[in-house]
Amino acid sequence: MGKSSAKAESSTKSDSKFEKKLQFYSKVRDTVASLTAKKAITKKKKLRSRQKKLKVYNLSTLSESLPELKAPRQPIPAADLKLNCKARQKLIVKEGKQLNTVLNHPAFQVDPLAAINQHLESTQPVSDEKPKKKMNKNGSKKRKGKSKTSDRAQSMDV
């Protein structure tokens, strides 16, 4: 009789283990389902916040109300910046002709540096800014000459 009761206990034990496993798996399924729902909600919130930010950065109404000073420049497409073989050859021929006209110009033949200087002055903007004096990190001007350590060394020697 003792053996038959031990078998009955072992079968109920395995059944209870099985039931516990089923309960655990159902809890895992429930948590996974709730996490996916939360993830979907947060994705929607992020999408909404991105759309709100895009609305904030939309300045088209402001640009419409401002008067236009100059016609907007057409930006150069990136494809035009890259030269293919034909465009490179055309550019070489064009620049070669330009170089020949510069070399044959009488002003360049007389004084090349003066001609280049005059060309740069006429084409480049003139900047009359004086270089700013160097400042320390705290905003005071840097001192030239003796440093503080040499002043201290002299006072100790005396």
Side-chain angles (χ1 to χ4, degrees):
M1 273 212 198
K3 290 184 178 178
S4 65
S5 65
K7 286 183 181 177
E9 282 181 27
S10 66
S11 66
T12 56
K13 232 181 196 182
S14 63
D15 287 342
S16 65
K17 283 185 177 180
F18 184 72
E19 289 295 322
K20 283 185 179 181
K21 280 186 182 179
L22 288 177
Q23 288 175 354
F24 174 73
Y25 289 139
S26 66
K27 284 182 182 179
V28 168
R29 257 188 256 115
D30 291 341
T31 54
V32 167
S34 66
L35 286 175
T36 54
K38 285 181 183 178
K39 192 174 182 182
I41 291 170
T42 55
K43 280 186 179 179
K44 287 179 184 177
K45 284 183 181 178
K46 285 182 182 179
L47 183 64
R48 282 188 213 130
S49 67
R50 281 188 197 137
Q51 288 174 346
K52 286 180 183 178
K53 287 178 185 175
L54 289 176
K55 286 180 183 177
V56 169
Y57 292 123
N58 187 3
L59 301 175
S60 60
T61 55
L62 179 64
S63 65
E64 290 172 359
S65 64
L66 293 175
E68 289 188 30
L69 299 176
K70 295 180 182 177
R73 292 183 183 177
Q74 293 293 331
I76 300 172
D80 291 345
L81 293 176
K82 293 183 179 179
L83 297 175
N84 57 13
C85 188
K86 283 185 178 180
R88 190 176 295 118
Q89 289 296 329
K90 286 181 183 179
L91 184 64
I92 289 171
V93 170
K94 178 183 164 189
E95 292 294 326
K97 287 179 183 177
Q98 183 70 25
L99 179 64
N100 285 333
T101 57
V102 169
L103 292 175
N104 293 331
H105 195 273
F108 183 80
Q109 288 178 349
V110 171
D111 190 5
L113 293 177
I116 292 171
N117 190 23
Q118 181 196 7
H119 171 72
L120 289 176
E121 286 176 355
S122 64
T123 56
Q124 300 295 321
V126 178
S127 60
D128 292 334
E129 293 182 16
K130 295 180 180 177
K132 294 182 179 179
K133 293 185 178 180
K134 294 182 179 178
M135 297 284 192
N136 284 338
K137 289 181 183 177
N138 60 6
S140 63
K141 294 180 183 177
K142 286 190 174 181
R143 293 184 356 180
K144 290 185 179 178
K146 299 178 184 176
S147 64
K148 291 181 181 179
T149 56
S150 64
D151 291 341
R152 288 183 194 145
Q154 286 179 355
S155 65
M156 289 183 160
D157 291 340
V158 175

